[in-house]
Amino acid sequence: MLEINEIDVFRGDIHVLWSVSLKLEERTITALLGANAAGKTSLLMTISGLLKPVRGSIHFNGLDITKEPTHRIVEMGISMVPEGRRLFPEMSVLENLELGAFLRRARNTKDRTIEEIYNIFPILKNRATQIAGTLSGGEQQMLAIGRAMMSRPKLLLIDELSQGLSPLILLHLAEIIKAINVSRGLTIFTVEQNVLMALEMAKFAYIIENGRIVEFGETISLLQNEQIKYAYLGV
């Protein structure tokens, strides 16, 4: 579905991604793991078109999207849940969801999609008229996921699902993400610092250090890797 080939990316004068290559299989959950400033968010921003590679290529469903603007990439079927949620805090839950359906095809099915989001996150239906900035952290993350799904994407990018959430809420959201992947066949690429949760949620995982991919494999194998257990799980 998504294939990244040897990309180099800069943020200003700083070289943040070095010869990064990866592949995402359709209908699977893949995790990207790494410490702060390892390059995780930069990679998601590059896939979304917010950053442009100076070398290499990105293909989505066989189409070269390396130089495409962000709005065209969204139209092609890629949507992102940004780090820190970035809702419109002065607007209601419903208004935030409606803003996620700005594509023409999404507008045509907006009401149906909203009901689907409410079925996934019933609390959002109860909070439909509530101002988004007054929601709890977990409810805001649900809203951010729902808003991203309003465009009916084929690939959902999630940046730091666990940020600022209690373990109980995080476990609930992780189960919902897995259910969405199975029931809708939605391909999901999640960036995480919570390594254990990500490895348990995803089928495949990449590990990035200092802007370079240093490890890749099925999560079952990575969970048994002694070096990874020592470096990332404290075992």
Side-chain angles (χ1 to χ4, degrees), residues 132-151:
T134 66
L135 298 174
S136 69
E139 291 165 351
Q140 288 188 16
Q141 190 66 284
M142 294 175 193
L143 180 54
I145 295 168
R147 183 182 62 184
M149 292 180 63
M150 285 297 298
S151 64

Side-chain angles (χ1 to χ4, degrees), residues 92-164:
S92 71
V93 166
L94 178 58
E95 289 168 334
N96 270 271
L97 290 175
E98 289 176 332
L99 283 172
F102 65 92
L103 300 178
R104 179 176 297 177
R105 72 167 188 276
R107 289 198 301 270
N108 292 338
T109 59
K110 180 186 67 175
D111 292 340
R112 187 181 77 194
T113 308
I114 287 174
E115 286 305 313
E116 291 173 1
I117 300 303
Y118 286 162
N119 286 333
I120 297 169
F121 301 112
I123 192 67
L124 295 183
K125 186 171 186 177
N126 297 336
R127 302 276 196 271
T129 60
Q130 185 170 330
I131 299 302
T134 66
L135 298 174
S136 69
E139 291 165 351
Q140 288 188 16
Q141 190 66 284
M142 294 175 193
L143 180 54
I145 295 168
R147 183 182 62 184
M149 292 180 63
M150 285 297 298
S151 64
R152 306 191 75 84
K154 302 170 185 174
L155 169 61
L156 183 65
L157 311 176
I158 303 177
D159 196 356
E160 300 290 2
L161 177 71
S162 64
Q163 189 178 66

